[in-house]
Amino acid sequence: MVNNFSRSTSFNRRALNAESPRVLNVSSPKALNVLSAKPLCFTSSRVYHRLGWVSRLFPVLILIGALISFIILLHGGYIYVLPSLSQAFYGHGVLKFNDSSNVCDIFDGSWVIDDDYPFYNASDCPFAEQGFNCLGNGRKDRDYLKWRWKPKNCDIPRFNVHNVLEMLRDKRIVFVGDSMSRTQWESLICLLMTGVEDKKSVYEVNGNKITKRIRFLGVRFTSFNFTIEFFRSVFLVQHGWMPRHAPKRVRSTLKLDKLDDVSNEWINADVLIFNTGQWWVPGKLFETGCYFQVGNSVKLGMSIPAAFKMALGTWASWVENTIDTNRTLVFFRTFEPSHWSEKSRRFCNVTQNPLLETEGRERSIFSETIFEVIKNMTVPITVLQVTSMSAFRRDAHVGGWSDNPMVPDCSHWCLPGLPDIWNEIFLSYLLADYGLPAVNGKQYWMTHD
């Protein structure tokens, strides 16, 4: 089976024709000092002998030099076209390298203070859910807004938001997943609205307010003729009522071999961004009477990790057989860690600054399963590995600053905040695929007046 393990672990074929920083720099070889610096006496037979020896040796040296140059260039081309897994997509003209290794894992880095953040005020963005507007809900400290993700060996370039709006012109961007996906959807809209002069030209296509339960939300940027849509599909597969002759404890089932019944709405997108994981817990499944189903058989003994893997396999088959990846870019964002202090989820301690250690939250069986399934797919998928970087951000949760302060929340994230960084990384991948207009010969990420 052909292994096209994500554009985050294989070179993006769409970027092959784009200019990219070279992975291997070959310096010009110094000229070889073959002849002696001493003056030659043309009447000396010894000199004639030396000249004859040199003349015979010179073609050999040229051949050897040409062979070495060919090997170096071939090796450099190999690295350029087929970068290692650790290089991911990086080096497509989107990231600026800090050292000579030219190896960058964008998800391997640290959080650094940057006073340019945040890029927007959630109170000024009509598409930011009130429950995520922590400042608007009374949070006093602002330190959590000032953190930027800094990869170890590279920088994420800044560019003007208007370039991003132009890049998205005439396109359809679709998010599919749970409330974490909706948060990223809201974040992206608020980021892009900072570059739109006529705010009324950006609207929800059905006039709906942003709510937790609605299955579809679509925001249109009229001036640029593109939409950013969200489909609520918390499991990605179909959730159905209790089948006939099922045990009494079974109230509903997840049909692991059938993708969500609204999946046909996702097909004609230019960009698809999937996520799932938050609902794959006993409290959302077994404790509510929801069990797993394959065909007509209810699998009472199936574990959640096994069911999750089967559901992702169904999603993978659907993508391979339904989505034209020459037209549609497909992303999958990994699991977002929560920071509850107890497994009972009753104690939520939001800190003022990021943690110094991930406290084991950098690993997730869901994220590992996502990588395992995608690496065996036959089409390119970009994995947005946000688990580790988000594990540090205990400070970025909603906590007690939601629209219902009596219910603490150490699962969801404040806006502005961490989801903005996810979108910075997501957009950097899009720039690698679609290209970015240069300004004065340089590329910029996002500048705000």
Side-chain angles (χ1 to χ4, degrees), residues 6 66 80 97-98 140 151 181 206 219 240 247 262 278 288 315 327 338-339 343 366 373 377 388 410:
S6 89
Y80 180 78
F97 294 104
N98 292 332
K140 301 302 182 183
S181 182
N206 293 317
V219 170
V262 297
Q278 293 291 332
T288 66
W315 166 84
R327 177 212 163 164
S338 60
H339 288 84
K343 292 184 178 179
F366 299 124
V373 170
M377 293 179 66
S388 296
C410 262

Tab-separated table of all heavy atoms in Angstrom, residues 6 66 80 97-98 140 151 181 206 219 240 247 262 278 288 315 327 338-339 343 366 373 377 388 410:
chain	number	residue	atom	x	y	z
A	6	SER	N	0.258	11.892	5.573
A	6	SER	CA	0.015	13.308	5.846
A	6	SER	C	1.038	14.236	5.235
A	6	SER	O	2.180	13.893	5.043
A	6	SER	CB	-0.080	13.579	7.341
A	6	SER	OG	1.156	13.863	7.877
A	66	ALA	N	33.602	15.146	-10.828
A	66	ALA	CA	32.259	15.142	-11.400
A	66	ALA	C	31.377	14.101	-10.723
A	66	ALA	O	30.192	14.330	-10.451
A	66	ALA	CB	32.333	14.885	-12.912
A	80	TYR	N	15.582	17.123	-0.785
A	80	TYR	CA	14.672	18.205	-1.179
A	80	TYR	C	13.290	17.667	-1.515
A	80	TYR	O	12.272	18.239	-1.159
A	80	TYR	CB	15.274	18.936	-2.376
A	80	TYR	CG	14.439	20.074	-2.886
A	80	TYR	CD1	14.433	21.285	-2.209
A	80	TYR	CD2	13.682	19.944	-4.037
A	80	TYR	CE1	13.687	22.338	-2.672
A	80	TYR	CE2	12.924	20.997	-4.489
A	80	TYR	CZ	12.935	22.189	-3.811
A	80	TYR	OH	12.191	23.228	-4.276
A	97	PHE	N	14.050	29.153	8.676
A	97	PHE	CA	14.909	28.327	9.512
A	97	PHE	C	15.877	29.175	10.310
A	97	PHE	O	16.362	30.201	9.850
A	97	PHE	CB	15.684	27.327	8.647
A	97	PHE	CG	14.791	26.310	8.000
A	97	PHE	CD1	14.483	26.417	6.655
A	97	PHE	CD2	14.259	25.276	8.731
A	97	PHE	CE1	13.653	25.498	6.050
A	97	PHE	CE2	13.434	24.347	8.138
A	97	PHE	CZ	13.127	24.459	6.795
A	98	ASN	N	16.157	28.719	11.528
A	98	ASN	CA	17.047	29.451	12.421
A	98	ASN	C	18.467	28.902	12.426
A	98	ASN	O	19.373	29.533	12.928
A	98	ASN	CB	16.508	29.403	13.857
A	98	ASN	CG	15.217	30.192	13.994
A	98	ASN	OD1	15.009	31.140	13.246
A	98	ASN	ND2	14.369	29.802	14.925
A	140	LYS	N	-9.851	38.764	34.673
A	140	LYS	CA	-9.076	39.985	34.887
A	140	LYS	C	-7.657	39.910	34.324
A	140	LYS	O	-7.161	40.889	33.763
A	140	LYS	CB	-9.026	40.301	36.385
A	140	LYS	CG	-10.398	40.506	37.022
A	140	LYS	CD	-11.167	41.637	36.343
A	140	LYS	CE	-12.522	41.857	37.022
A	140	LYS	NZ	-13.323	42.906	36.336
A	151	PRO	N	8.433	27.205	17.316
A	151	PRO	CA	9.141	25.958	17.016
A	151	PRO	C	10.638	26.104	17.287
A	151	PRO	O	11.194	27.205	17.195
A	151	PRO	CB	8.866	25.742	15.521
A	151	PRO	CG	7.626	26.537	15.250
A	151	PRO	CD	7.716	27.732	16.145
A	181	SER	N	-13.833	21.796	17.442
A	181	SER	CA	-13.784	22.199	16.041
A	181	SER	C	-14.541	23.506	15.845
A	181	SER	O	-14.101	24.388	15.094
A	181	SER	CB	-14.383	21.097	15.160
A	181	SER	OG	-14.314	21.435	13.794
A	206	ASN	N	-27.621	31.340	7.116
A	206	ASN	CA	-29.022	31.095	7.449
A	206	ASN	C	-29.544	32.039	8.531
A	206	ASN	O	-30.650	31.854	9.041
A	206	ASN	CB	-29.212	29.644	7.913
A	206	ASN	CG	-28.972	28.653	6.790
A	206	ASN	OD1	-29.422	28.858	5.662
A	206	ASN	ND2	-28.253	27.575	7.081
A	219	VAL	N	-20.506	30.780	7.543
A	219	VAL	CA	-20.279	32.225	7.498
A	219	VAL	C	-19.680	32.586	6.143
A	219	VAL	O	-18.680	31.991	5.721
A	219	VAL	CB	-19.360	32.686	8.644
A	219	VAL	CG1	-18.937	34.138	8.444
A	219	VAL	CG2	-20.074	32.527	9.981
A	240	GLY	N	-27.312	6.349	16.016
A	240	GLY	CA	-28.692	5.944	15.772
A	240	GLY	C	-29.388	5.458	17.037
A	240	GLY	O	-28.764	5.251	18.076
A	247	PRO	N	-30.361	-5.383	24.091
A	247	PRO	CA	-30.561	-5.417	25.554
A	247	PRO	C	-31.134	-4.085	26.057
A	247	PRO	O	-30.960	-3.036	25.441
A	247	PRO	CB	-29.136	-5.642	26.085
A	247	PRO	CG	-28.407	-6.298	24.957
A	247	PRO	CD	-28.985	-5.708	23.712
A	262	VAL	N	-24.662	13.169	7.297
A	262	VAL	CA	-24.535	14.460	6.611
A	262	VAL	C	-23.207	14.550	5.853
A	262	VAL	O	-22.843	15.622	5.366
A	262	VAL	CB	-24.654	15.645	7.600
A	262	VAL	CG1	-26.020	15.668	8.240
A	262	VAL	CG2	-23.545	15.617	8.630
A	278	GLN	N	-13.415	14.198	22.002
A	278	GLN	CA	-13.942	14.644	23.287
A	278	GLN	C	-15.141	13.835	23.752
A	278	GLN	O	-15.371	13.710	24.959
A	278	GLN	CB	-14.310	16.132	23.213
A	278	GLN	CG	-13.131	17.068	23.043
A	278	GLN	CD	-12.237	17.133	24.269
A	278	GLN	OE1	-12.694	16.929	25.390
A	278	GLN	NE2	-10.957	17.392	24.060
A	288	THR	N	-24.649	6.773	29.174
A	288	THR	CA	-25.897	7.282	28.589
A	288	THR	C	-26.637	6.188	27.824
A	288	THR	O	-27.656	6.467	27.189
A	288	THR	CB	-25.612	8.450	27.630
A	288	THR	OG1	-24.871	7.971	26.500
A	288	THR	CG2	-24.832	9.548	28.330
A	315	TRP	N	-13.917	6.454	8.399
A	315	TRP	CA	-13.651	7.798	7.873
A	315	TRP	C	-12.559	7.756	6.800
A	315	TRP	O	-12.689	8.392	5.747
A	315	TRP	CB	-13.219	8.720	9.026
A	315	TRP	CG	-12.616	10.002	8.566
A	315	TRP	CD1	-13.271	11.132	8.201
A	315	TRP	CD2	-11.212	10.280	8.386
A	315	TRP	NE1	-12.367	12.103	7.807
A	315	TRP	CE2	-11.107	11.608	7.920
A	315	TRP	CE3	-10.056	9.532	8.583
A	315	TRP	CZ2	-9.876	12.200	7.636
A	315	TRP	CZ3	-8.827	10.128	8.310
A	315	TRP	CH2	-8.749	11.445	7.847
A	327	ARG	N	-8.144	18.127	-5.599
A	327	ARG	CA	-8.886	19.388	-5.464
A	327	ARG	C	-9.022	19.794	-3.994
A	327	ARG	O	-8.909	20.972	-3.652
A	327	ARG	CB	-10.282	19.232	-6.056
A	327	ARG	CG	-11.115	20.496	-5.873
A	327	ARG	CD	-12.584	20.237	-5.693
A	327	ARG	NE	-13.235	21.435	-5.139
A	327	ARG	CZ	-14.533	21.615	-5.154
A	327	ARG	NH1	-15.322	20.704	-5.684
A	327	ARG	NH2	-15.052	22.708	-4.612
A	338	SER	N	-7.478	18.098	28.085
A	338	SER	CA	-8.133	18.907	29.112
A	338	SER	C	-7.204	18.997	30.317
A	338	SER	O	-6.161	18.345	30.365
A	338	SER	CB	-9.478	18.291	29.504
A	338	SER	OG	-9.285	16.983	30.026
A	339	HIS	N	-7.579	19.812	31.302
A	339	HIS	CA	-6.722	20.018	32.480
A	339	HIS	C	-7.519	19.951	33.779
A	339	HIS	O	-7.315	20.737	34.696
A	339	HIS	CB	-5.985	21.356	32.371
A	339	HIS	CG	-4.898	21.359	31.353
A	339	HIS	ND1	-5.125	21.602	30.020
A	339	HIS	CD2	-3.560	21.128	31.458
A	339	HIS	CE1	-3.987	21.545	29.348
A	339	HIS	NE2	-3.021	21.266	30.198
A	343	LYS	N	-10.229	13.102	37.975
A	343	LYS	CA	-10.905	12.367	36.912
A	343	LYS	C	-12.411	12.596	36.936
A	343	LYS	O	-13.097	12.428	35.939
A	343	LYS	CB	-10.585	10.873	37.030
A	343	LYS	CG	-9.133	10.546	36.721
A	343	LYS	CD	-8.893	9.042	36.751
A	343	LYS	CE	-7.443	8.727	36.395
A	343	LYS	NZ	-7.166	7.264	36.426
A	366	PHE	N	-6.074	8.632	21.584
A	366	PHE	CA	-6.801	9.088	20.399
A	366	PHE	C	-5.846	9.660	19.353
A	366	PHE	O	-5.961	9.360	18.158
A	366	PHE	CB	-7.851	10.127	20.790
A	366	PHE	CG	-8.899	9.605	21.735
A	366	PHE	CD1	-9.127	10.225	22.949
A	366	PHE	CD2	-9.648	8.491	21.424
A	366	PHE	CE1	-10.076	9.753	23.835
A	366	PHE	CE2	-10.603	7.998	22.287
A	366	PHE	CZ	-10.818	8.629	23.510
A	373	VAL	N	-3.820	5.307	11.868
A	373	VAL	CA	-4.754	5.121	10.754
A	373	VAL	C	-4.297	5.910	9.530
A	373	VAL	O	-4.262	5.390	8.408
A	373	VAL	CB	-6.181	5.537	11.172
A	373	VAL	CG1	-7.106	5.591	9.958
A	373	VAL	CG2	-6.734	4.572	12.216
A	377	MET	N	-3.032	5.348	4.994
A	377	MET	CA	-3.957	5.780	3.950
A	377	MET	C	-3.232	5.956	2.624
A	377	MET	O	-2.024	6.170	2.592
A	377	MET	CB	-4.661	7.078	4.366
A	377	MET	CG	-5.607	6.902	5.543
A	377	MET	SD	-6.422	8.449	6.041
A	377	MET	CE	-7.444	8.769	4.599
A	388	SER	N	0.501	17.945	22.047
A	388	SER	CA	1.638	18.278	22.913
A	388	SER	C	1.697	19.759	23.222
A	388	SER	O	1.881	20.167	24.377
A	388	SER	CB	2.941	17.826	22.252
A	388	SER	OG	2.967	16.424	22.105
A	410	CYS	N	-12.625	23.074	32.193
A	410	CYS	CA	-11.206	22.882	31.892
A	410	CYS	C	-11.013	22.031	30.638
A	410	CYS	O	-9.982	21.385	30.459
A	410	CYS	CB	-10.488	22.243	33.080
A	410	CYS	SG	-9.625	23.451	34.121
